[in-house]
Structures are given as C-alpha cells and as structure tokens.
C-alpha cells in the first residue's frame, strides 16, 4: 500500500539501484569462482577493475590453452591422418609463434570486458541482471536484436581492417601472416595485434548502450568467441551452412577479400563478399586446368621451335 503511494520516478530509481546491486553481487561471485586461489583479504584491497581484469585474464588464458589444446589433440593427433593430407597440418614452429602473438595480446584482451564491467556497474548501459526482469520472450527478442547488430558491426570492422590499408598494415597484417592452409591452427584464433582483436570484439560492448542485454549472457558470448575462433582456424570444412565455419574462413585467409563475417554468412551474402568452399574449389580446379593448358601449349611451342 505504501509502495503504491510512491512516485513512479522513485520506484524506477529503486529498481535501477536494485539492478546495479545485483550486477555488483554477480561480478563478485564471478571473482570468487575464478580467483578462489587468492586470499580474500588480499583481493578485497584491489580496485574493482583490477579485480575484474585478473579474473578475465585468468579465464581467457585458461580458455585459450584448454580449447586450443583439446581441439589440436583431436584433429591432429587422433584424426589427423583422416582429416589432413600430406603437408596440410601446421608445423610446430607455426603453432608456437601463434601462441606467442596471442600471449602478448591477452593482457589487453582481458582489459576490454573489465572496462565494460566498470561502465555497467556505473549504470551507463542498458544491461539487466536477471532474465526474470524482462521475461523469456523479451530476453530472446533482445538477444536476436543484439546478435544481429553484432554481426553487422563485426563484419564492417573486419572488412575495414582489410580495406583501409593503414589499418591492415599496422594491425591486421599480424593475423594474416598465417595465409596458407598449412600455417593455420586453432591457436591462430587469438593471434592478433591486441588493438585489432579489441576492435573486432568491441561491437559486443558498445551494443550494451543500445540494446537491453543480460550481463552474464553478454560475457559468455565474449568468451564463446574464443571457442569459435579456434574452430574457424582448424581448416576443417564442417559444411554447416549458414554458419561461417572453417571452410569459409580458410578462404578468407587465402584470398584476403572474402568471408569477413562472424558467426553467419548473411552479411557477406548481403554485401557481396561471400565465396563458398564449393565455389572456391571449383575456381581452383578451373585455374589448375588453365595452368595445365598453358604449360602444354608452351611445351608444344618449344618442341616446334626446336
């Protein structure tokens, strides 16, 4: 009865304060889960953002080596003879170099979700803490809208890093050193210049200012990209259209001008940069046929001359 007499703006402010308190509580819980090995007395003396950075750094490090290691074990050690032909698997030096690049960038990778978390706790975004706050139907609708926007902006961020020559030379070239099938591996998934990796992940963060989003879902999606990017660098065409799988992404690494998309092929289809593995294979066969014809013609001409 007393609540009914309160002004709407007071109730709204109270609801917002409750949401922010729940978000802080949830972030503290995540810190406890990941940083359980650090004494709480020590952790409590750290700034919240440093606390979040340590948790995200440990998590991304564990994810990178766990996923990359398990993935590589199965595709190279267990099924390598079945999945790859001679000379198609990456060398040890290639993989170690990818690990080195990724390790150098991870401290800044961990900084992005940590900064985002601080902004969320300040109440500047449209993040909510519980699915029950909006209900399952709106949660799903917001999720679809959020991911559609992420797909659009990741596509153009990635394409821009190719089309803007300065961006490619200073940032994206680091990742495209792995430009042949046998130089790619699951460990290439996070082997970016740190700023390059952040630019391609930042649409996940700025969309929080525009589309209402569940915080834990947002953070799980950020870390899911670490699993996804290991998958799309393994050179195995899973034939899972409309997903932008490794078959599509390997073409991106060999042509430099196709298949910029994130999870799905639709942005490349919409903006004219899509090439399917079947189309690419057909083009390679046609080129091979032309090369054979040219070589044959030259051989005949040489024989006539002699």
């Amino acid at each position: 009865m007393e609540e009914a007499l309160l002004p709407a703006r007071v109730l709204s402010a109270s609801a917002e304060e409750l949401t922010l308190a729940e978000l802080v509580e949830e972030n503290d819980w995540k810190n406890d889960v990941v940083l359980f090995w650090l004494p709480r007395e020590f952790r409590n003396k750290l700034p919240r953002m440093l606390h979040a950075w340590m948790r995200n750094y440990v998590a991304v490090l564990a994810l990178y080596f766990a996923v990359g290691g398990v993935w590589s074990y199965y595709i190279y050690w267990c099924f390598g003879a079945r999945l790859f032909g001679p000379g198609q698997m990456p060398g040890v030096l290639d993989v170690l170099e990818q690990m080195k690049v990724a390790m150098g960038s991870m401290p800044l990778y961990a900084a992005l979700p940590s900064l985002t978390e601080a902004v969320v706790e300040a109440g500047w975004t449209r993040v909510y803490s519980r699915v029950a706050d909006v209900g399952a139907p709106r949660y799903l609708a917001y999720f679809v809208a959020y991911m559609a926007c992420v797909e659009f902006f990741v596509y153009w961020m990635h394409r821009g890093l190719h089309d803007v020559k300065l961006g490619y030379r200073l940032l994206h070239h680091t990742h495209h050193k792995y430009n042949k099938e046998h130089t790619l591996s699951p460990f290439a998934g996070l082997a970016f210049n740190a700023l390059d990796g952040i630019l391609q992940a930042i649409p996940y963060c700025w969309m929080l200012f525009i589309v209402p989003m569940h915080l834990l879902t947002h953070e799980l999606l950020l870390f899911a990209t670490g699993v996804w990017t290991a998958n799309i660098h393994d050179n195995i065409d899973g034939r899972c259209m409309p997903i932008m799988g490794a078959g599509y992404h390997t073409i991106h690494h060999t042509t430099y001008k196709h298949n910029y998309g994130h999870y799905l092929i639709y942005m490349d289809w919409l903006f004219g940069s899509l090439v399917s593995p079947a189309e690419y294979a057909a083009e390679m066969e046609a080129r091979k046929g032309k090369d054979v014809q040219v070589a044959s013609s030259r051989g005949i001409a040489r024989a006539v001359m002699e």
Side-chain angles (χ1 to χ4, degrees), residues 15-16 18-24 26-27 30 120-121 123-144 146 207-219:
E16 183 178 345
L18 176 61
T19 295
L20 293 178
E22 289 174 344
L23 291 170
V24 169
E26 184 177 298
N27 291 333
K30 287 180 286 192
V120 166
E121 288 186 0
W124 298 343
T125 67
R126 304 192 68 185
V127 163
Y128 57 93
S129 58
R130 304 286 186 268
V131 174
D133 292 344
V134 297
R138 284 171 65 191
Y139 168 82
L140 292 173
Y142 289 147
F143 177 83
V144 170
Y146 175 84
M207 288 312 302
L208 297 179
F209 294 92
I210 302 167
V211 179
M213 188 61 182
H214 183 239
L215 178 62
L216 185 58
T217 301
H218 155 76
E219 291 190 329

Side-chain angles (χ1 to χ4, degrees), residues 199-211:
L199 285 173
Q200 293 194 61
I202 208 167
Y204 278 95
C205 300
W206 77 40
M207 288 312 302
L208 297 179
F209 294 92
I210 302 167
V211 179

Side-chain angles (χ1 to χ4, degrees), residues 174-194:
T174 300
H175 184 64
H176 271 275
K177 287 186 293 187
Y178 322 114
N179 60 356
K180 296 289 186 292
E181 290 88 339
H182 67 277
T183 64
L184 289 167
S185 83
F187 288 102
L190 292 180
F192 289 87
N193 174 288

Side-chain angles (χ1 to χ4, degrees), residues 82-102:
R82 196 181 309 172
L83 296 172
F84 301 96
Q88 291 183 343
M89 287 193 286
V92 172
L93 292 180
D94 290 317
V95 174
L96 290 176
E97 205 267 342
Q98 291 160 14
M99 291 180 183
K100 178 184 174 183
V101 172

Side-chain angles (χ1 to χ4, degrees), residues 66-89:
V67 172
V70 170
W71 211 283
S72 296
Y73 171 74
Y74 277 103
I75 65 173
Y76 299 138
W77 183 263
C78 297
F79 303 108
R82 196 181 309 172
L83 296 172
F84 301 96
Q88 291 183 343
M89 287 193 286

Side-chain angles (χ1 to χ4, degrees), residues 147-168:
M147 286 307 300
C149 293
V150 165
E151 288 280 339
F152 176 84
F153 286 114
V154 169
Y155 172 88
W156 280 109
M157 189 67 77
H158 189 185
R159 185 165 178 172
L161 285 162
H162 280 266
D163 292 348
V164 178
K165 300 305 178 187
L166 184 64
Y168 181 82

Side-chain angles (χ1 to χ4, degrees), residues 27 30 48-49 51-57 59-60 105-121 197-198 201-202 204-205 208 215 218-223 225:
N27 291 333
K30 287 180 286 192
R48 285 193 65 77
M49 191 168 168
H51 213 161
W53 178 85
M54 291 175 63
R55 179 234 302 160
N56 287 313
Y57 180 67
V60 73
S105 297
M106 278 186 196
L108 282 178
Y109 290 164
L112 179 63
S114 306
L115 177 60
T116 302
E117 194 171 288
V119 171
V120 166
E121 288 186 0
I198 287 172
I202 208 167
Y204 278 95
C205 300
L208 297 179
L215 178 62
H218 155 76
E219 291 190 329
L220 289 174
L221 286 170
L222 269 183
F223 281 92
T225 61

